[in-house]
Amino acid sequence: MIVGVLVGLVSLPFWLPKAVVALRNRIFTWINGPEGTRVEPAHFLAVYRNPAAAGRSRGAALSDLFWYWLAPGPHAHQEHIEPGERYTEVARTTRRILAAGHQDAPRLAAECVARVLDGLGDRPVTAVRLRDLMMPVWAEFYYELVFGRRCPPEARDLVVGNANDVASALKCTSLRHMRSRERLTRYLLAHLAEVPHALPPSLSAEDKAFYLQGAFFNTAVVQTSEGMAHLLMALARHPAVQARVRAEPDYLGPVMEESLRLYPLFGIAHRITVADLTVEELSIPRGSVVLFDYPSFHRSGFPHADRFEPDRWTGLSTSDVNHVPFGVPQNRACPARGLVPVVMRVVTAEVLRRFEVCSTATHTRSMPNRGPALLVRSGHRPTVRLGLMRVSDFLADVPRGVTQLVLGTYMVWDARRKRLCQKYFEAGGV
Ligand code: HEM
């Protein structure tokens, strides 16, 4: 009996996290109801590009969950606005702000990362969480893109607090803290007149603040920080690849594609069909929720798809394979797809110029551990710390998995209760 209990306890880290994920999915489906048609890789592009797959928020219970996670002001967040005049205006504004900063972006990204790395001091080995390391870099970067001036520390703390809260709630490692998010909304509202770009004229002042918060201080900061955390984590876990990037900077191109392929930032994107949709033998009626599973699409058609192999990109064009890390251009693709790879390169080069990045922690797509890593100055070999990192990360998986299960269940239930998206449309929202 005692032996059985001991074996159970010791083996917990091996099976509990997986069991918790499976249980979480079952509980989410139970609360939320089964919803949506998952589009197989064979039809993924044809359905995603189809004009009938144009609905964004209205009519999907799933939208209540995303509106909850990305609040406040999800109705003014570009990602959630239904196609129409308001969407066109908002999308045009985002493109303009990104385009205005494009030329200067590499210099700006270099300055932002240098400031954050300078602040780490000169210890031979510094333990970091890569997502946390990157958030202030991108908070300062996008602030300067939007406001056209250097980010004051007060604003940087508000943006990082907001982005961190959104990312942690999305991964169910923490609940939402609306007061902290609303502090950023108030800051943006108070400083709206200082934004040098024309903002969508049909939006109220409050909705303009929500729009900026959603597109630039949630999505942009969270996504670029996560994308960078994955890229640096992949380099940290593959020292030979890291050494090659140092010797051949152009090799970062295939490494970045491989990181985006294996760790796409979107798990599942959804759309609601606005007309009957037929693709080959597949028929999807109007009003259906269609689900695009990025990880499975990015794996189909690649040999050894679960391995991190940047060399697979040699002689391969991204348009010939199942690879859409920024979405499909015909259906609301990411407006930052031109800018992001350029600035991610600059920031990676600066980190690698100063440090060797090492990690023995697990690297999964949702990265609930926020990417534990050591930044090592040359000449040091932190073997013991790397060994300890592996053990502590492995053990932390158990309480983290249980926390995700409890908090995730609560948030899905709370989102279902609040019905933010449904109520907005019932009240005549467009
Ligand atoms: C590594 C970084 C990033 C990745 C991998 C990424 C990926 C994506 C993907 C896959 C989509 C399409 C989702 C769908 O079809 O539903 C998307 C949409 C979007 N992204 Fe990004 N993104 C990144 C960074 C950014 C940045 C820096 C911004 C800055 C404004 C941004 C703003 C948006 C917006 C506003 C949308 C919604 C587009 C629309 O519905 O019109 N993203 N992103």
Side-chain angles (χ1 to χ4, degrees):
M1 166 77 174
I2 293 174
V3 176
V5 171
L6 274 178
V7 170
L9 282 177
V10 172
S11 67
L12 269 181
F14 292 94
W15 58 266
L16 191 70
K18 281 193 199 95
V20 164
V21 171
L23 186 60
R24 201 169 76 212
N25 289 343
R26 289 179 73 163
I27 292 176
F28 282 14
T29 312
W30 175 61
I31 296 177
N32 228 13
E35 185 179 46
T37 306
R38 194 175 286 249
V39 184
E40 293 305 316
H43 297 123
F44 187 99
L45 289 178
V47 176
Y48 215 159
R49 287 170 178 158
N50 197 296
R56 193 61 191 99
S57 287
R58 192 200 292 258
L62 256 181
S63 307
D64 282 329
L65 200 53
F66 286 104
W67 282 46
Y68 178 88
W69 272 322
L70 291 168
H75 60 276
H77 185 339
Q78 181 175 337
E79 274 181 45
H80 298 135
I81 302 176
E82 292 295 330
E85 260 174 55
R86 208 160 57 101
Y87 171 75
T88 309
E89 221 179 58
V90 163
R92 189 185 303 129
T93 308
T94 307
R95 280 197 304 275
R96 278 205 194 122
I97 295 177
L98 291 170
H102 200 109
Q103 218 180 348
D104 223 19
R107 177 201 56 79
L108 180 57
E111 284 174 12
C112 294
V113 68
R115 275 198 293 274
V116 168
L117 297 181
D118 286 347
L120 291 176
D122 53 7
R123 272 167 297 170
V125 180
T126 308
V128 292
R129 303 265 169 174
L130 293 168
R131 192 182 93 194
D132 302 351
L133 178 75
M134 284 295 123
M135 278 213 173
V137 175
W138 300 109
E140 292 199 0
F141 177 84
Y142 290 111
Y143 182 96
E144 195 159 338
L145 221 60
V146 169
F147 281 94
R149 62 166 189 232
R150 177 115 167 235
C151 179
E154 175 209 0
R156 173 176 126 159
D157 292 349
L158 289 174
V159 174
V160 169
N162 176 80
N164 204 18
D165 200 65
V166 170
S168 303
L170 274 164
K171 289 166 201 306
C172 307
T173 53
S174 158
L175 293 176
R176 308 183 310 168
H177 297 90
M178 292 311 292
R179 279 210 207 128
S180 127
R181 298 183 189 191
E182 282 154 11
R183 273 200 289 278
L184 176 62
T185 315
R186 281 199 296 278
Y187 176 95
L188 293 171
L189 204 46
H191 293 83
L192 217 47
E194 295 151 37
V195 175
H197 309 277
L199 295 173
S202 72
L203 298 191
S204 66
E206 191 185 40
D207 281 354
K208 284 179 185 154
F210 284 145
Y211 152 67
L212 288 176
Q213 182 159 358
F216 288 93
F217 302 119
N218 278 351
T219 296
V221 176
V222 170
Q223 298 291 62
T224 326
S225 303
E226 291 254 319
M228 276 300 310
H230 279 301
L231 179 58
L232 292 174
M233 192 69 174
L235 289 165
R237 303 257 328 200
H238 297 86
V241 173
Q242 189 174 151
R244 186 161 166 201
V245 170
R246 251 193 211 93
E248 294 170 45
D250 282 350
Y251 192 55
L252 191 55
V255 172
M256 202 186 299
E257 291 306 347
E258 184 64 350
S259 176
L260 288 166
R261 182 190 73 80
L262 203 50
Y263 308 107
L265 300 189
F266 275 68
I268 292 190
H270 76 278
R271 295 285 189 275
I272 301 105
T273 50
V274 293
D276 291 346
L277 187 158
T278 307
V279 168
E280 296 170 15
E281 74 284 9
L282 182 72
S283 286
I284 303 173
R286 180 173 192 267
S288 307
V289 178
V290 277
L291 306 175
F292 302 98
D293 180 336
Y294 276 67
S296 78
F297 182 64
H298 277 188
R299 276 169 171 74
S300 67
F302 288 96
H304 314 299
D306 287 328
R307 291 195 207 151
F308 180 76
E309 287 180 354
D311 284 340
R312 72 171 81 244
W313 292 100
T314 311
L316 204 62
S317 160
T318 50
S319 54
D320 295 341
V321 284
N322 293 344
H323 188 64
V324 288
F326 295 98
V328 294
Q330 300 83 350
N331 192 343
R332 310 175 66 132
C334 181
R337 60 193 180 281
L339 176 82
V340 161
V342 177
V343 290
M344 279 178 63
R345 262 171 192 260
V346 172
V347 169
T348 310
E350 186 58 22
V351 173
L352 295 190
R353 192 178 70 74
R354 297 183 187 218
F355 304 103
E356 190 180 339
V357 191
C358 308
S359 181
T360 47
T362 22
H363 186 185
T364 59
R365 197 196 66 78
S366 77
M367 209 191 251
N369 61 7
R370 314 196 311 281
L374 298 179
L375 300 182
V376 183
R377 293 188 192 274
S378 67
H380 296 272
R381 190 71 225 144
T383 318
V384 175
R385 287 182 73 171
L386 284 171
L388 288 174
M389 177 189 281
R390 185 196 298 263
V391 176
S392 63
D393 183 62
F394 182 64
L395 295 177
D397 243 9
V398 174
R400 194 165 42 226
V402 175
T403 306
Q404 287 177 286
L405 177 68
V406 175
L407 301 187
T409 305
Y410 170 76
M411 285 190 280
V412 172
W413 170 79
D414 197 29
R416 196 92 188 98
R417 203 169 55 105
K418 289 197 163 64
R419 297 189 303 120
L420 295 176
C421 174
Q422 268 190 56
K423 282 186 185 160
Y424 173 78
F425 288 111
E426 278 164 16
V430 287

